[in-house]
Amino acid sequence: MAQMRGPGSYGIGASSPFGGPVNDDSIESSPLDAIRKQTSKIEDVLDSFSEPVKPYLPAIGRFLIVVTFIEDALRIITQWNDQLLYLHDYRHIPNGVTHLFLLANVIAMASCSTLVIIRKHSEYAVCGLIGVVITQALGYGLIFDLNFFLRNLSVMGGLLMVLSDSWVRKTKAFAGLPTLEEKDRKMYFQLAGRVLLIFLFIGFVFSGEWTIWRIIVSLIGLVACVMVVVGFKTKFSSTLLVVILSIFNLLVNNFWTLHEHHPHKDFAKYDFFQILSIVGGLLLLTNTGPGQFSIDEKKKVY
């Protein structure tokens, strides 16, 4: 995926054999260069508009990532008896275990979400929230639900971006270079985070009725997802996904328009906050960058 190079790369053939200057117009640019020029212009416009909120972007991203866990904790508390009934009658979990299961989930989601927001002990907080995702998938019997599985992979991708963001801040906070182990760890987690983030969009593409608008949005979104995965123009592609997912969320998961006893209200609310969490992960990706394993970083080297 390295970019095509002109004859002057690495100092080889940097000058004309007759001693004259190289004619840059004769060097054919790669397709990536053409795309890069166009997206750079768009990124400049985005930078100018986002300048006032840029200092607050990490805090906004971290809050949005955990908002689905906060909402879920409140849901369990407000629907405690219904949750117990479901786990006992439909999942056949003994009564005492159901109470412990729900209580442990509420405590873990509330405490770990708070730690993520205040930027304390991010490693333990992220591990705790990933543990909640896994135990809920097993406890509620949703592990084989494809949409649930893809959405939660994206949520975990957002949580990995929290780790990357915290390690970037540690590196900036202390003098000296990070150790090789810290640098490698950050690179791998940034790669895993941005790959997992795009799974929700894959679930969106392959679910629902096909319309002309859905096809157009799906094609644009898939291109943006590929750009995020390979780390090409990450700021532009992640911002594009934020816009697409935000509009989709407001139009499709508008739970506030449904009646209080509507059978799909809870599902719409759950989906709404999960997408907010993934949007938060994309905002952190925009802020921290794609990491070393990306075309953007390779471009700086070559």
Side-chain angles (χ1 to χ4, degrees), residues 205-253:
V205 169
F206 294 106
S207 62
E209 296 181 3
W210 287 100
T211 63
I212 184 63
W213 290 111
R214 185 183 184 86
I215 292 172
I216 293 173
V217 172
S218 297
L219 290 175
I220 295 173
L222 283 175
V223 171
C225 286
V226 172
M227 292 171 70
V228 165
V229 169
V230 301
F232 176 62
K233 281 299 177 182
T234 311
K235 182 181 293 186
F236 166 77
S237 54
S238 57
T239 302
L240 180 59
L241 285 177
V242 166
V243 172
I244 292 174
L245 289 175
S246 298
I247 294 174
F248 170 81
N249 212 18
L250 290 172
L251 294 179
V252 176
N253 297 323

Side-chain angles (χ1 to χ4, degrees), residues 33-257:
D33 278 333
I35 298 173
R36 195 183 297 273
K37 289 178 182 178
Q38 297 301 319
T39 53
S40 292
K41 295 177 183 178
I42 299 174
E43 284 184 343
D44 291 340
V45 174
L46 290 174
D47 282 336
S48 63
F49 279 107
S50 64
E51 196 66 34
V53 298
K54 193 174 292 183
Y56 309 102
L57 203 59
I60 295 171
R62 293 170 79 96
F63 174 75
L64 290 179
I65 284 171
V66 300
V67 73
T68 187
F69 297 100
I70 297 172
E71 187 275 332
D72 201 25
L74 293 173
R75 184 206 302 262
I76 290 176
I77 294 171
T78 56
Q79 300 178 359
W80 184 265
N81 290 330
D82 292 336
Q83 298 281 339
L84 290 174
L85 185 66
Y86 175 81
L87 291 172
H88 180 265
D89 291 355
Y90 294 94
R91 296 297 299 156
H92 308 294
I93 300 175
N95 271 327
V97 179
T98 57
H99 288 73
L100 290 174
F101 175 80
L102 293 179
L103 185 61
N105 272 272
V106 169
I107 293 174
M109 288 188 288
S111 58
C112 293
S113 295
T114 302
L115 290 175
V116 167
I117 292 171
I118 65 176
R119 296 174 180 149
K120 299 291 185 182
H121 307 295
S122 295
E123 293 89 348
Y124 300 110
V126 167
C127 288
L129 292 176
I130 289 177
V132 167
V133 172
I134 295 172
T135 54
Q136 284 196 355
L138 295 172
Y140 288 98
L142 298 171
I143 194 167
F144 297 112
D145 185 308
L146 182 60
N147 284 330
F148 177 87
F149 180 72
L150 292 175
R151 284 199 306 268
N152 280 279
L153 281 180
S154 293
V155 171
M156 286 192 277
L159 291 172
L160 293 184
M161 294 309 301
V162 169
L163 285 183
S164 299
D165 178 68
S166 65
W167 289 330
V168 167
R169 290 178 176 277
K170 282 182 182 178
T171 303
K172 291 179 180 178
F174 299 101
L177 296 173
T179 65
L180 183 62
E181 182 182 353
E182 289 173 342
K183 188 176 180 181
D184 288 344
R185 181 176 60 177
K186 184 178 72 176
M187 288 191 302
Y188 287 120
F189 274 85
Q190 282 177 315
L191 174 62
R194 72 174 195 260
V195 170
L196 290 177
L197 275 172
I198 60 100
F199 276 96
L200 173 115
F201 198 86
I202 294 175
F204 160 73
V205 169
F206 294 106
S207 62
E209 296 181 3
W210 287 100
T211 63
I212 184 63
W213 290 111
R214 185 183 184 86
I215 292 172
I216 293 173
V217 172
S218 297
L219 290 175
I220 295 173
L222 283 175
V223 171
C225 286
V226 172
M227 292 171 70
V228 165
V229 169
V230 301
F232 176 62
K233 281 299 177 182
T234 311
K235 182 181 293 186
F236 166 77
S237 54
S238 57
T239 302
L240 180 59
L241 285 177
V242 166
V243 172
I244 292 174
L245 289 175
S246 298
I247 294 174
F248 170 81
N249 212 18
L250 290 172
L251 294 179
V252 176
N253 297 323
N254 49 355
F255 64 90
W256 54 90
T257 64

